[in-house]
Amino acid sequence: MLGPVRNASRALSPACALVLGLQLCTGAGLIVLPAPAQAQEQQREFDIPAGELSQALQRFARQAGVQILFPYDQAQGKPSRAVKGRMTISAALQRLLAGQRLVVVKSDRQRITLRAAPAGHDPRTRQRRATRRQSVPRPPPPEPAPPPQPIEIVVTGRAVSAPLTVSETSYSLTALSRSDLDLSAPLSSSALFRQIPGFWVESSGGEAGNNVRSRGIPTDGFSAVAFAENGIPVQYDGALGYLNTDQSFRIDDTVARVEAVRGGPASLFMPNAPGGVANFITRSGLDEQGGRITLTGGDNGYRRIDAWQALRLSEEWGVVAGGFYRRDGGRRPPSYTADSGGQFRLSLDHRSAGNSLLLDLRHMDDRVTFYLPVPLRLDEEGEPEAIAGFDPLRDSLAGPETLKLPLYNGRMPTEFDTSEGTHTRLTALTMRGMLSLGGGSEWHGGLRWRTSETIRNALFPTGTPMTGQSYLASIEDRMKAAFPDTASLALRYALDGTEFPAEAGANGLVTGGNLLAVSVPLDEVLAETKLTTTLEAAGRHDIALGISGAHYAYRFDRYMGTVLLEVADSARLIDAVALDAQGGIAGRYTDGGVQRYGSIFDSARMTVDALAVHASDEWRMSPRLRIDFGARWEVNRIDGQVAGQTTLDLGDPSTLADDQILAPDGTIIPVRRSDSGFGWSIGGSYEMSPDLALFARYTRSFRLPSASNFNTTPLRTDQKTVPITMAELGANYTGDTFDLSATAFATHFQRLPFSDFRFDFATNAYVEQTEIADTRTFGAELEAFWNPAGPFEVTVQATLQDGRYRNFSFTQVMDGEPVHRVFSGNRLIRVPRMAVRAVPAIALIEDRLRIELTGEYFSRRFGDIANEQALPAYLLVGLNLRALLSDRISLRAHVTNLTDTLGLTEGNPRNGSFDAGSSTGEYFFARPEFARTVRLEMAFEF
């Protein structure tokens, strides 16, 4: 195996060193202006010092947990009074607006809109007449007069911090407030994407290791969708092999809200994000006071505690501390603790005289199970159903006999531990800041250092379930050739030698399983520095010029052994033996259930230096018309080493399991390459009226090759920069009782590599094939919110899309013969044409009791590129409940998959992504949604 090639402490490249030096010299970072969380008409702690009104209103929004829209020119420079104490949102707003020429024209549970008061108007009279609606006051319709343009702060998908309304954005953005997160309680950071149209999420892998796709993007994992934390990437490249971004981040109560951008300008300001970015914005001790402890319990032994505390140290300094700890028996319990661990955060905020500084430390030590496909069968009508003796929603192949097994890591004997699951130990230190230069200019910067060690162990099912007799027939020739005295073959349980199956009523099925262990330690430094300024020339220009750099180094070590299992919950290991004429054992195909020791071995060391330059201009041509455009140039240099391989025979003549162990041969294959890309985007928005705005955008983006593409094939030449074209046209409407956001989009990927990584059950080895093709997708996204009179409301999010492969034809060797395959025109793998999420809700007892019913529908999909393995449509029903027992105590309940629907999210990629075989066979593997889950939460505010 290889020793370390380089680590993050080595001398940085000149470009990265330059960017890092700028951060340390300026002490700067991007300012994050948290916006709204959902309002509750309960008492909250407010601490808004006297000062300038526009800043006071922004502080009010953060502390109240609402979006606040107001005419900026009517508030800028105006003095405001201090508001301090525990009170309702409406009372705090009334005090803040006392004596000001601003009135409330619309308010609901998420947003409050202000406008300049007409001449002769007394805002205190309007406030007294205001009627209560939802959780904040909703006044009668305003006097007829065109209100000035309101201002709402949007921070994601932009390079400047100038206030911006949602109607002015020229891209699709969805904001999830803290209350949204509390009420929906996503079971993983990936699962929250279910609340965002345009994204297709496979969150059936558990709390980590899932797949997210956006707008027809045909790649898995997080290769084209980025996670950001306070505007800085959680991980520069989310496509690193076996190190998805969601393994590096957990949602907890220190997150104040999430902003998600689909497509659009995400690729300009965030690396590896052509499909979009989810920006997790954390709490600030300057904007919030107090704290909360939340206790959660659920089925299968789920226990969790979340806590956070915010404290204002002075007018200029604030601190937040918090995190979580959790233990869980598992969504499909494997007979041992499936998940355990937690995360801790400590943040220090400073703001004064227009400058800001954020220091944030996050440490995570968490172990979660990676859930994989389960065995199923087809009924007479071709619909999937359970196999006798195995519940696909609650049973697990993993169990006591596969918990710890002796395998080989190259030439080294080792013990494989399934209970390690996906175990991540991570520490990240972040510095962000802003320095006012005067004259409308600002210097921004951000710096994040991260070190982590990730282990990913799991039992991967292979092939298809088959009868014991079919399995013996498949190995008969090899057994007779190896053991000439063979008279018959038999299957026996590995631990006690009894015959398989033990019970007459058992299903009699066996399957292969890969015990795969991967280790990916990563050290990473990310840095960005940026200058923003405002110019007046034919309108207002908010201009930004930035440079960012990254340096990261990782090791990739992987080994695997293949076992034979019965198809049952907590499956037992099976031995295949050759019997002589007297019934004695002449030889063994397996060894203690192991079919092949060392069926995979890989060892690689990679270092990547990345440099990007971006520039943008947000041009306000008139009060109604706004145009923005920008460009990004990026270059990555990959430098690494990959160990060569050979095959060993350990020399045990009684078994075939040790005949072909993959191990290092002592050679080193170097990797050295550089790739670059240039992208640009232009968009515009036009406000037709105060309630309706239109936008359009065209983007030419790219995706650079990932270093992990060379972990196992260092000499490959099929990896190039992938050009990506995106276009979108949308409308945003905001009415008194109805909000609507609709977007039509088109995406085109060119020269995209598609890999078929298929496990050959006959040889117990992987076979890989890569082909180059294009994809094109047309679709539409919709978000609607209807809040009629009374306690009812409905939220609907929908995505309609038709994604197809283009220029996809190749020759494939099948059964020793070349076969020409044509996949052009086939639908994209696993992406539904229709995905709809509807959430009807009712708020009772002055919003102290809220009940939501969630319905999620996903249309028919295909588990392979050949469109041979159909995955049926399905509907998931859930329930969320929140009860305010007092001003400081709340009770929440969450039920997912209420009806125990067997919804299949993917087939079994180990059987091949090109052609997994048609669904005409009786047995197959697929990964379903989880069974019904019930969780109860009790939250105590202080």
Side-chain angles (χ1 to χ4, degrees):
M1 288 183 284
L2 295 173
V5 173
R6 294 176 180 173
N7 56 51
S9 62
R10 75 171 180 90
L12 301 182
S13 67
C16 292
L18 171 63
V19 177
L20 178 58
L22 288 172
Q23 310 314 309
L24 298 178
C25 291
T26 62
L30 286 172
I31 185 171
V32 175
L33 300 177
Q38 181 179 339
Q40 302 294 335
E41 190 62 356
Q42 57 182 318
Q43 289 193 342
R44 289 175 177 259
E45 194 70 35
F46 288 91
D47 189 357
I48 305 173
E52 198 257 352
L53 181 58
S54 64
Q55 295 182 5
L57 287 170
Q58 293 169 14
R59 286 187 172 181
F60 165 81
R62 301 181 194 113
Q63 296 178 21
V66 298
Q67 293 179 340
I68 184 79
L69 291 84
F70 60 92
Y72 194 72
D73 56 352
Q74 296 291 321
Q76 187 179 28
K78 304 291 180 63
S80 68
R81 63 186 298 180
V83 176
K84 188 171 184 178
R86 191 169 184 85
M87 63 193 79
T88 63
I89 293 173
S90 56
L93 184 59
Q94 183 177 359
R95 293 188 186 187
L96 188 61
L97 296 182
Q100 303 290 350
R101 300 296 302 169
L102 293 173
V103 295
V104 177
V105 294
K106 185 169 65 172
S107 64
D108 55 35
R109 68 187 183 93
Q110 293 182 323
R111 184 181 302 150
I112 299 175
T113 302
L114 309 179
R115 68 163 221 184
H121 178 84
D122 183 357
R124 292 172 295 178
T125 303
R126 167 63 63 86
Q127 185 66 34
R128 286 193 298 268
R129 293 201 309 260
T131 59
R132 182 186 179 90
R133 182 186 183 90
Q134 293 285 331
S135 57
V136 290
R138 187 163 201 154
E143 294 85 347
Q149 178 68 34
I151 297 298
E152 176 184 354
I153 297 171
V154 175
V155 301
T156 307
R158 308 174 61 216
V160 297
S161 57
L164 187 69
T165 66
V166 166
S167 63
E168 289 174 319
T169 57
S170 54
Y171 52 90
S172 300
L173 180 142
T174 297
L176 300 176
S177 69
R178 181 67 250 178
S179 293
D180 292 331
L181 297 175
D182 287 342
L183 198 55
S184 62
L187 294 170
S188 66
S189 53
S190 299
L192 71 86
F193 281 95
R194 289 179 178 268
Q195 303 176 59
I196 303 170
F199 286 101
W200 161 242
V201 184
E202 293 173 353
S203 56
S204 55
E207 290 198 37
N210 293 294
N211 296 315
V212 176
R213 301 183 179 196
S214 171
R215 293 183 170 179
I217 290 177
T219 56
D220 286 334
F222 288 78
S223 57
V225 177
F227 272 6
E229 188 178 21
N230 293 324
I232 302 178
V234 170
Q235 184 174 301
Y236 193 86
D237 186 354
L240 291 180
Y242 295 91
L243 190 57
N244 286 6
T245 308
D246 65 341
Q247 296 172 209
S248 303
F249 187 83
R250 302 286 188 271
I251 297 178
D252 60 25
D253 272 5
T254 62
V255 174
R257 87 184 197 279
V258 182
E259 286 186 349
V261 173
R262 288 103 67 191
S267 59
L268 298 182
F269 311 116
M270 193 68 53
N272 304 308
V277 58
N279 188 16
F280 297 86
I281 301 170
T282 59
R283 298 181 188 269
S284 167
L286 290 173
D287 302 321
E288 299 186 67
Q289 296 296 293
R292 186 172 72 178
I293 295 177
T294 304
L295 305 176
T296 306
D299 43 14
N300 296 329
Y302 185 91
R303 301 291 183 269
R304 174 167 171 148
I305 179 171
D306 287 82
W308 66 274
Q309 170 73 61
L311 179 65
R312 181 189 291 274
L313 304 177
S314 68
E315 288 298 311
E316 298 178 349
W317 291 92
V319 64
V320 171
F324 79 93
Y325 180 79
R326 176 256 299 108
R327 288 181 67 86
D328 183 16
R331 309 296 299 279
R332 293 197 290 271
S335 75
Y336 50 81
T337 300
D339 307 333
S340 66
Q343 179 174 265
F344 173 77
R345 182 190 304 275
L346 179 64
S347 295
L348 182 66
D349 269 303
H350 173 74
R351 287 202 293 266
S352 65
N355 303 320
S356 70
L357 178 66
L358 166 67
L359 297 175
D360 181 270
L361 175 66
R362 179 171 65 92
H363 177 72
M364 182 176 74
D365 187 344
D366 196 27
R367 177 178 61 82
V368 298
T369 293
F370 182 45
Y371 296 95
L372 289 145
V374 298
L376 296 161
R377 68 183 301 272
L378 297 176
D379 63 17
E380 295 179 354
E381 297 179 356
E383 295 296 318
E385 66 176 9
I387 290 176
F390 192 95
D391 184 343
L393 295 180
R394 294 173 174 82
D395 288 350
S396 171
L397 288 174
E401 291 197 17
T402 54
L403 177 58
K404 294 185 178 182
L405 279 178
L407 296 177
Y408 276 82
N409 182 2
R411 298 174 184 267
M412 299 170 54
T414 188
E415 183 180 66
F416 177 87
D417 186 353
T418 313
S419 67
E420 274 293 301
T422 299
H423 192 170
T424 301
R425 298 180 179 92
L426 178 148
T427 300
L429 180 63
T430 303
M431 180 178 70
R432 296 173 51 86
M434 186 272 289
L435 180 66
S436 177
L437 303 179
S441 298
E442 298 172 343
W443 188 276
H444 300 257
L447 174 66
R448 173 170 290 146
W449 167 84
R450 167 252 182 94
T451 183
S452 65
E453 293 186 6
T454 299
I455 296 173
R456 192 169 176 182
N457 291 2
L459 170 60
F460 292 76
T462 62
T464 59
M466 65 178 68
T467 64
Q469 292 305 312
S470 297
Y471 174 78
L472 291 177
S474 71
I475 64 172
E476 183 176 6
D477 290 343
R478 287 192 61 192
M479 290 287 277
K480 288 182 176 181
F483 308 109
D485 293 337
T486 299
S488 63
L489 302 179
L491 296 176
R492 295 180 176 178
Y493 289 103
L495 291 192
D496 59 17
T498 57
E499 292 187 8
F500 168 85
E503 299 85 16
N507 57 44
L509 301 176
V510 298
T511 186
N514 285 334
L515 299 176
L516 179 65
V518 182
S519 174
V520 191
L522 171 68
D523 292 317
E524 184 173 64
V525 178
L526 309 175
E528 180 185 52
T529 190
K530 179 174 58 181
L531 179 67
T532 66
T533 190
T534 299
L535 300 176
E536 299 290 340
R540 173 187 171 120
H541 297 261
D542 293 310
I543 299 173
L545 177 63
I547 179 172
S548 62
H551 169 80
Y552 55 96
Y554 69 88
R555 302 197 312 269
F556 178 82
D557 294 304
R558 180 172 68 163
Y559 72 90
M560 185 178 79
T562 302
V563 296
L564 183 63
L565 300 165
E566 64 174 346
V567 175
D569 185 30
S570 297
R572 289 174 288 178
L573 294 167
I574 304 296
D575 267 333
V577 298
L579 303 178
D580 58 24
Q582 290 74 39
I585 296 179
R588 294 169 294 138
Y589 187 81
T590 56
D591 183 19
V594 178
Q595 298 187 87
R596 182 181 179 186
Y597 290 107
S599 49
I600 272 186
F601 170 82
D602 293 294
S603 183
R605 306 292 182 267
M606 296 290 177
T607 301
V608 179
D609 289 299
L611 177 69
V613 178
H614 66 81
S616 64
D617 181 5
E618 296 186 5
W619 180 14
R620 187 184 299 276
M621 302 180 67
S622 71
R624 292 190 172 187
L625 179 61
R626 178 181 167 277
I627 295 177
D628 66 84
F629 46 89
R632 178 186 183 92
W633 175 81
E634 184 175 2
V635 59
N636 284 0
R637 188 188 71 190
I638 302 173
D639 187 6
Q641 297 177 352
V642 178
Q645 298 181 7
T646 189
T647 302
L648 301 178
D649 184 345
L650 297 185
D652 185 347
S654 67
T655 180
L656 301 182
D658 71 338
D659 287 5
Q660 293 181 312
I661 292 181
L662 290 176
D665 63 3
T667 65
I668 300 297
I669 306 171
V671 176
R672 177 164 294 183
R673 61 179 292 139
S674 181
D675 299 279
S676 63
F678 177 78
W680 56 273
S681 181
I682 182 169
S685 62
Y686 182 74
E687 190 175 19
M688 304 287 290
S689 71
D691 294 331
L692 177 63
L694 306 178
F695 71 88
R697 176 168 292 276
Y698 182 82
T699 302
R700 292 297 302 270
S701 184
F702 59 90
R703 180 62 166 89
L704 300 181
S706 172
S708 63
N709 292 333
F710 306 95
N711 286 346
T712 60
T713 50
L715 301 180
R716 68 191 307 171
T717 59
D718 53 12
Q719 300 296 308
K720 306 290 184 182
T721 299
V722 176
I724 306 168
T725 303
M726 301 187 220
E728 53 190 304
L729 178 66
N732 291 313
Y733 173 78
T734 304
D736 290 337
T737 62
F738 182 72
D739 293 348
L740 175 67
S741 174
T743 307
F745 64 87
T747 64
H748 182 204
F749 281 68
Q750 296 175 271
R751 305 196 307 271
L752 186 66
F754 293 93
S755 292
D756 187 45
F757 199 54
R758 179 176 55 84
F759 189 78
D760 188 336
F761 190 64
T763 61
N764 293 313
Y766 274 103
V767 178
E768 184 173 5
Q769 180 177 356
T770 299
E771 301 295 336
I772 307 298
D774 301 346
T775 69
R776 188 182 294 278
T777 302
F778 298 95
E781 304 162 351
L782 180 143
E783 285 186 278
F785 174 75
W786 182 45
N787 182 200
F792 300 100
E793 66 181 51
V794 178
T795 302
V796 176
Q797 295 149 335
T799 304
L800 304 175
Q801 58 184 319
D802 186 20
R804 303 279 178 169
Y805 295 101
R806 294 164 52 90
N807 304 320
F808 203 155
S809 62
F810 61 97
T811 299
Q812 186 176 24
V813 177
M814 302 180 67
D815 298 326
E817 297 294 331
V819 178
H820 186 64
R821 308 298 301 272
V822 178
F823 292 156
S824 297
N826 288 4
R827 288 171 51 188
L828 296 185
I829 185 173
R830 302 204 299 272
V831 176
R833 281 182 171 176
M834 175 185 292
V836 179
R837 185 176 191 267
V839 185
I842 183 170
L844 304 172
I845 319 174
E846 296 183 324
D847 203 26
R848 302 188 71 84
L849 175 63
R850 181 179 178 83
I851 303 172
E852 289 187 350
L853 188 68
T854 64
E856 297 174 295
Y857 171 78
F858 304 101
S859 65
R860 181 172 177 261
R861 289 147 297 117
F862 291 99
D864 57 0
I865 295 175
N867 289 182
E868 291 290 343
Q869 186 183 43
L871 303 175
Y874 63 92
L875 172 68
L876 295 179
V877 178
L879 178 68
N880 294 312
L881 179 147
R882 183 201 61 222
L884 304 180
L885 305 182
S886 71
D887 290 340
R888 297 177 181 267
I889 302 176
S890 62
L891 175 68
R892 298 189 291 267
H894 313 284
V895 183
T896 62
N897 197 2
L898 188 64
T899 58
D900 264 347
T901 297
L902 180 61
L904 305 183
T905 66
E906 68 171 23
N908 187 7
R910 270 60 60 184
N911 287 358
S913 59
F914 281 6
D915 189 346
S918 65
S919 299
T920 57
E922 183 178 3
Y923 303 110
F924 66 102
F925 278 104
R927 188 164 70 179
E929 299 278 5
F930 295 113
R932 179 174 52 247
T933 299
V934 179
R935 297 188 181 183
L936 297 177
E937 299 178 356
M938 183 73 76
F940 305 88
E941 295 187 10
F942 51 87

